[in-house]
Amino acid sequence: MEVASNVRELIKPANSSPPPRPSILLSCLDQIAPRVYMPFLYFFARFIPSNQLKLSLSKTLSLFYPLAGRYKLLPNQALEIQCCDSGIEFFEALASKSLEEELGSFHEFNPSLDSLASREAFPTQETTELPLVSIKLTRFLCGGACLQVATHHSAADGVATADFVKAWALISSGQEHRVNPPHLGTIPAPPAEYQIEPPPFPDTSNVERSILSFTSSGIRSLLKSDTTATRFEILAAHLWIAITRARTELSLLQPHEETRLGFAVNGRKRFNPPIPDGFLGNAVFLAIASSSIEQLLAGSIDGVVNLIQEAKRRITHQHMLSTAAWIASRKCPLEISLSFNHSDLVISSWQRLEIAGADFGSGKPVFAGTMGIVWAGVAIIFPEIEGNDRLVVNTMLERDQMDVVRRDPGLIV
């Protein structure tokens, strides 16, 4: 797809008064977050006037003022946000075709989606002019639009980014009275989920992406007993088994090896007391379920669901405090990375982020998700669009593994 960028400008907060906090030292979880942009993509059937978006964005930044700031890199490589109202990037572009012609169904991967996503690496200067948020509005022929909101991961996790977009959409649609200001507190201050070595940057040259679509009834039918489980727990177990089976078929894994499933758990309500609503930053912790290859493939999906539920229960207030304290005890945050290898799978669910309801005044999106993340062994569950009884999973594997997974007759339910 040909996308021509023709406008770039900086959007600054409408209220330029001195911020309540001129600088913010990011929390330990912010410091170890991947220093890359995390793009959300929203597709709309009708075009949204750019002036309306820019005006409402400026008002939103008066509330979420840290996002209009800039990073300062401290001597120990930690990050601090200078709340200087420098603004965020806003691009406008025109696609060469209509939305339907170019993208078709959102139930399968289309490489054209990648041209709409930003994947800039973090620069190495001590003090950088890197905008913390980059917005790109792409207009399609014959109506329709794609709005990309790419937030730098160290400044906000998926939940915080969704809160920012929700507030922006409410202001854009004339519902400013429903917007709650963000909470600018901090996470309360050696887990197996992390390791001490420089984090690897993903090699995307051999990564294949596939969008897999599952019905809610099909997911529920996978359980063989009356086990109480969420759709995420069942689907995560199903994908973990299927991908491990494919890797075993290719002789990449041996029966005695361990495989682990990592998944994100929102810690906001798990602290005691809970973190206030609207926390701006990273508050997601990693849960890990593990099994030998042999036991995972020989057992029932109900047993695998139990492993996932046990891993989720381990993310307690005390566990999160000890994790945060351990991370904070390291001299340099860049030496910490997630400890995953070739046998593991990481799944992130965006079901509860409410990104599918972002109405800027021209209607809710026909699709919402992300395409800019490319990392082998990662799967992201997109939220449902209203009236669509399906969960769509953006799955990324090495090409030979993806070929085997696609041929699995029991994969799609």
Side-chain angles (χ1 to χ4, degrees):
M1 172 171 55
E2 294 182 8
V3 177
S5 294
N6 50 21
V7 176
R8 174 193 179 275
E9 61 181 293
L10 284 175
I11 306 298
K12 298 186 177 183
N15 182 2
S16 59
S17 59
R21 296 175 63 181
S23 64
I24 299 175
L25 178 63
L26 298 183
S27 75
C28 58
L29 291 182
D30 299 325
Q31 302 290 359
I32 67 170
R35 297 185 177 185
V36 295
Y37 282 115
M38 179 174 60
F40 282 35
L41 295 178
Y42 301 81
F43 292 89
F44 298 91
R46 290 187 292 169
F47 185 71
I48 312 165
S50 59
N51 287 340
Q52 174 185 332
L53 285 176
K54 288 184 281 190
L55 178 61
S56 56
L57 178 58
S58 180
K59 293 179 180 179
T60 308
L61 286 176
S62 294
L63 298 175
F64 290 76
Y65 66 88
L67 296 181
R70 293 293 183 268
Y71 285 135
K72 180 180 179 181
L73 197 61
L74 303 180
N76 68 340
Q77 304 300 302
L79 291 175
E80 180 179 81
I81 293 180
Q82 304 290 308
C83 300
C84 52
D85 285 351
S86 293
I88 66 176
E89 290 181 320
F90 192 99
F91 294 89
E92 293 185 62
L94 180 64
S96 57
K97 296 182 180 179
S98 70
L99 180 63
E100 294 78 10
E101 283 181 304
E102 192 61 63
L103 300 175
S105 170
F106 291 104
H107 291 159
E108 58 186 31
F109 175 67
N110 187 322
S112 293
L113 293 170
D114 272 340
S115 64
L116 299 168
S118 171
R119 285 195 297 257
E120 294 185 56
F122 181 71
T124 57
Q125 293 91 335
E126 182 175 346
T127 303
T128 175
E129 283 301 303
L130 176 74
L132 304 191
V133 181
S134 179
I135 309 292
K136 184 178 180 182
L137 176 65
T138 302
R139 185 198 304 265
F140 291 93
L141 297 181
C142 305
C146 172
L147 182 67
Q148 176 198 266
V149 181
T151 307
H152 203 265
H153 205 332
S154 293
D157 62 12
V159 178
T161 299
D163 286 342
F164 166 68
V165 174
K166 180 180 178 181
W168 180 17
L170 288 172
I171 292 174
S172 178
S173 59
Q175 302 179 72
E176 297 184 40
H177 62 282
R178 293 181 54 195
V179 176
N180 296 316
H183 174 69
L184 301 177
T186 58
I187 293 291
E193 296 90 339
Y194 303 96
Q195 61 188 6
I196 302 300
E197 63 178 42
F201 201 81
D203 176 10
T204 62
S205 60
N206 191 37
V207 177
E208 179 107 358
R209 178 155 50 194
S210 182
I211 290 185
L212 308 175
S213 180
F214 301 86
T215 64
S216 293
S217 57
I219 293 169
R220 295 287 183 191
S221 71
L222 293 169
L223 286 183
K224 306 305 179 186
S225 67
D226 57 356
T227 300
T228 301
T230 65
R231 289 183 304 170
F232 167 78
E233 292 164 350
I234 303 168
L235 183 54
H238 179 59
L239 290 172
W240 189 17
I241 293 170
I243 290 171
T244 302
R245 185 164 54 233
R247 289 168 169 171
T248 304
E249 183 177 325
L250 292 168
S251 300
L252 300 174
L253 304 177
Q254 301 302 318
H256 66 276
E257 286 188 81
E258 180 188 55
T259 176
R260 297 182 303 168
L261 173 72
F263 56 95
V265 175
N266 186 356
R268 287 165 171 78
K269 299 303 181 185
R270 290 175 176 260
F271 279 110
N272 186 19
I275 297 176
D277 291 339
F279 174 74
L280 182 62
N282 285 265
V284 170
F285 290 79
L286 190 67
I288 290 183
S290 62
S291 170
S292 70
I293 306 292
E294 185 175 35
Q295 291 177 329
L296 184 77
L297 299 182
S300 67
I301 191 170
D302 302 64
V304 179
V305 166
N306 287 333
L307 291 178
I308 294 171
Q309 292 174 336
E310 290 171 7
K312 189 183 295 185
R313 285 193 290 266
R314 288 195 290 270
I315 308 299
T316 62
H317 172 78
Q318 190 56 49
H319 173 90
M320 293 186 295
L321 282 181
S322 63
T323 299
W326 179 83
I327 293 171
S329 71
R330 313 312 304 177
K331 292 182 179 180
C332 174
L334 291 182
E335 69 180 3
I336 302 172
S337 65
L338 300 179
S339 56
F340 283 94
N341 58 45
H342 69 287
S343 67
D344 300 327
L345 176 68
V346 179
I347 297 181
S348 181
S349 174
W350 290 22
Q351 293 170 262
R352 298 183 180 180
L353 296 190
E354 299 184 28
I355 63 176
D359 185 348
F360 290 83
S362 298
K364 294 181 180 180
V366 295
F367 180 80
T370 183
M371 292 295 163
I373 302 171
V374 183
W375 202 314
V378 173
I380 300 174
I381 302 176
F382 293 162
E384 291 176 281
I385 298 300
E386 188 174 342
N388 184 351
D389 185 35
R390 286 183 174 272
L391 289 183
V392 178
V393 186
N394 182 4
T395 310
M396 290 154 278
L397 294 169
E398 293 185 3
R399 288 190 176 87
D400 54 349
Q401 298 174 32
M402 186 64 79
D403 289 341
V404 177
V405 167
R406 286 200 188 104
R407 294 198 304 268
D408 188 339
L411 177 64
I412 301 301
V413 292

